[in-house]
Amino acid sequence: EVQLVESGGGSVQPGGSLRLSCAASGFTFSSSTMNWVRQAPGKGLEWVSSITSGGGNTFYARSVKGRFTISRDNAKNTLYLQMNSLKTEDTAMYYCAKGGTNYQVRGQGTQVTVSS
C-alpha cells in the first residue's frame, strides 16, 4: 500500500522559511517522479514543484520559482520542499504526490500558514 506522510508545516511570518518533508513507503520511491502540490482555502489543487526519480531534474511553478527548492533522498525514501521568502499567498495545505497519478495518490497534507 502506498503511503505518503508529510510533515514540517506550521505558521510563519512573511519572509520566513519552512522545510517540508514527505516520507514514502509501499512503492519504489527511487523510480518515481515526485511532486508537491497545494490547496489554498476555497481553491483547487495547484501544482508547485516536481523532481525526477534520480533528482537530476526539477521543475517549479512560476509563483514559487526562486523561492522554493525541491529535493529528495532516495536512500531515505524522503521528499523535501525548502520554502524561503514565504508570502501570505503561499498559505495552503501542502501535499506530496506520486508521479503518474494525476496527483490523486498523495498524503494527508501539512498546513502552511503565512501571516503577520
Side-chain angles (χ1 to χ4, degrees), residues 56-89:
N57 291 290
T58 57
F59 308 90
Y60 299 93
R62 188 174 300 179
S63 59
V64 307
K65 195 168 187 178
R67 301 187 297 122
F68 291 10
T69 302
I70 190 171
S71 63
R72 64 192 297 161
D73 185 336
N74 285 345
K76 295 182 178 179
N77 284 1
T78 303
L79 178 72
Y80 303 99
L81 186 68
Q82 177 67 43
M83 305 187 296
N84 298 329
S85 302
L86 282 160
K87 304 176 180 181
T88 55
E89 52 263 43

Side-chain angles (χ1 to χ4, degrees), residues 27-109:
F27 65 103
T28 307
F29 180 76
S30 59
S31 297
S32 297
T33 290
M34 294 296 295
N35 308 283
W36 285 100
V37 296
R38 67 187 181 185
Q39 188 165 24
K43 296 189 176 181
L45 206 59
E46 176 191 16
W47 170 74
V48 174
S49 183
S50 298
I51 185 168
T52 51
S53 57
N57 291 290
T58 57
F59 308 90
Y60 299 93
R62 188 174 300 179
S63 59
V64 307
K65 195 168 187 178
R67 301 187 297 122
F68 291 10
T69 302
I70 190 171
S71 63
R72 64 192 297 161
D73 185 336
N74 285 345
K76 295 182 178 179
N77 284 1
T78 303
L79 178 72
Y80 303 99
L81 186 68
Q82 177 67 43
M83 305 187 296
N84 298 329
S85 302
L86 282 160
K87 304 176 180 181
T88 55
E89 52 263 43
D90 295 318
T91 294
M93 185 72 78
Y94 284 72
Y95 303 90
C96 63
K98 186 177 180 292
T101 68
N102 200 29
Y103 315 132
Q104 294 307 299
V105 178
R106 60 182 187 263
Q108 83 291 345

